[in-house]
Amino acid sequence: GIPLGAASVDVLSARNLEVIDVGRLNGRRFVTGVCFPKHLGIVTCDNRFTMTPKRAGTIEVHNLACGGAEAGEVGNPTDGLLETVIAVEPKISFFRRASGRTKSVVGSKEIEIDFPEKVTATADGKEVESSHFSITVEPMALKVITGKERMF
């Protein structure tokens, strides 16, 4: 990233250019990712396979990992893929203790997500409401200036 204050001048003047992927959610571009609320949705990746969570959970589509790999986030904006992350709460029973969320991660170029009713998704801070979401990647579509330490 680019630091704040006077240090940003050095980074911008060095002009370290990177070309990164951009995602599209129902025709709107996003850089970081898309987050869907806690609902049951049917996720189809690259028209090859479908994932249907058994319990409600969050669905996220990442292009860029904001928290970084050390935070357990996924997303590489230079690989031509978007990472779909489905996280559901564990099933809790009287005899078994819950042990964290179950998480599945799949990389793909095209993602279709269908919900039984309209839901509001958030893409880079903007809200989009629909019951059907079409998400695609535009490989190497955006030039950005980065700092020397930036690791995708």
Side-chain angles (χ1 to χ4, degrees):
I2 297 178
L4 298 174
S8 65
V9 174
D10 293 332
V11 171
L12 293 172
S13 64
R15 296 201 43 90
N16 292 325
L17 290 176
E18 293 280 342
V19 183
I20 64 171
D21 303 336
V22 174
R24 269 195 187 273
L25 170 68
N26 290 359
R28 294 182 178 187
R29 284 182 160 186
F30 66 88
V31 175
T32 306
V34 182
C35 183
F36 296 90
K38 205 172 197 178
H39 285 282
L40 285 173
I42 299 170
V43 181
T44 304
C45 296
D46 290 332
N47 288 320
R48 293 185 312 179
F49 58 91
T50 301
M51 297 179 286
T52 307
K54 292 182 180 180
R55 292 179 301 281
T58 58
I59 300 172
E60 298 177 359
V61 178
H62 295 256
N63 181 43
L64 179 65
C66 293
E70 64 278 353
E73 291 204 27
V74 295
N76 179 348
T78 60
D79 64 359
L81 298 172
L82 297 171
E83 283 73 31
T84 303
V85 180
I86 299 175
V88 296
E89 296 295 331
K91 187 175 183 180
I92 300 172
S93 70
F94 184 73
F95 297 105
R96 270 182 63 173
R97 175 183 270 173
S99 61
R101 297 179 120 185
T102 302
K103 188 185 281 190
S104 298
V105 180
V106 177
S108 51
K109 294 180 180 184
E110 295 179 18
I111 304 144
E112 302 287 330
I113 304 176
D114 291 295
F115 294 95
E117 70 276 337
K118 281 188 174 186
V119 299
T120 302
T122 306
D124 288 351
K126 303 280 184 185
E127 292 184 345
V128 179
E129 185 178 79
S130 184
S131 61
H132 174 80
F133 295 91
S134 178
I135 305 168
T136 57
V137 65
E138 294 180 31
M140 304 302 181
L142 180 65
K143 287 184 183 180
V144 294
I145 297 174
T146 64
K148 289 184 279 187
E149 296 82 26
R150 180 66 187 182
M151 304 273 274
F152 291 121

